[in-house]
Amino acid sequence: MARARVKAREESVFAERFAVFAECLLTGVWIAVASLGVVTCPAAFAAAARHLRRRTGHRGGGLREFAADLRAALRGGWAVGLVGWVLAGLAWVDVQAVRAGLPGGPLMGAVGLFALTGLAVAGLRAAAVWAPGERWRPLLAAAGRRTVRDPAGSFLLVGGAVLVVCSALLVVPLAVPVLGAVAAAAVAVEERYRRR
């Protein structure tokens, strides 16, 4: 009898963990669809992170709640997305300067890519703690501080981004569900930082 209870408990833990993994993959698809507007990427990640926090907290949630969170996150998130794409464009110009062989190009290219990576991590961390009614500017400022103070968590998010790129290089459709895993990693990193 005790053995049956232990086995049932192990199966329920496995089922719960698999359900979270499946939810991450589904959320990745939602992020990809919501990011088709290009400047909607931060809002999509914010809505996804909130959805995953609800699911791991056993508070339900679904596509309807995700869509409502996406609309709320877009109020200020579209400007963050626009600035992000402008910064990505500047990084591309920086890389072109390196390739052209301009003096000081390699140093400026390295600094530019390092800064862009840091800003992307701060954006993911801000999206991971976003809630309706929050303003993006204070969220990004606090996320920037956490990015510097918690290098281990920041490197985990960089690794998640590298995983998305590698997935896209190997099998393009695989990059879509992996986006949900990156959102889950951002939520986990922020939860870990909060408990420190």
Side-chain angles (χ1 to χ4, degrees):
M1 186 70 165
R3 178 180 271 170
R5 272 186 276 164
V6 170
K7 184 170 174 111
R9 190 175 316 131
E10 287 175 359
E11 287 176 0
S12 67
V13 168
F14 175 75
E16 182 178 336
R17 289 179 180 166
F18 188 76
V20 170
F21 174 69
E23 198 67 37
C24 288
L25 298 181
L26 176 63
T27 304
V29 174
W30 292 350
I31 291 170
V33 170
S35 295
L36 289 176
V38 181
V39 297
T40 59
C41 291
F45 271 97
R50 184 159 157 78
H51 170 73
L52 290 172
R53 286 194 315 263
R54 269 195 308 269
R55 294 297 287 183
T56 56
H58 304 288
R59 293 187 302 270
L63 183 57
R64 195 171 293 156
E65 288 84 0
F66 174 83
D69 286 339
L70 180 64
R71 283 190 300 276
L74 275 173
R75 289 191 187 101
W78 69 269
V80 174
L82 184 63
V83 168
W85 283 107
V86 168
L87 292 174
L90 290 174
W92 181 80
V93 169
D94 217 18
V95 168
Q96 296 307 314
V98 170
R99 295 177 92 198
L102 294 176
L107 175 65
M108 291 309 294
V111 168
L113 288 178
F114 184 75
L116 184 66
T117 302
L119 290 171
V121 167
L124 279 172
R125 292 184 87 133
V129 297
W130 175 87
E134 298 262 3
R135 295 188 45 133
W136 280 94
R137 185 174 291 182
L139 280 176
L140 287 168
R145 288 189 293 277
R146 289 191 307 273
T147 298
V148 173
R149 291 180 185 155
D150 181 25
S154 299
F155 284 124
L156 177 66
L157 293 178
V158 170
V162 168
L163 179 67
V164 170
V165 170
C166 290
S167 298
L169 290 175
L170 294 173
V171 182
V172 176
L174 190 59
V176 171
V178 172
L179 289 172
V182 173
V187 169
V189 163
E190 286 302 312
E191 183 64 23
R192 180 183 140 283
Y193 183 81
R194 188 182 66 79
R195 290 183 180 182
R196 284 176 51 190

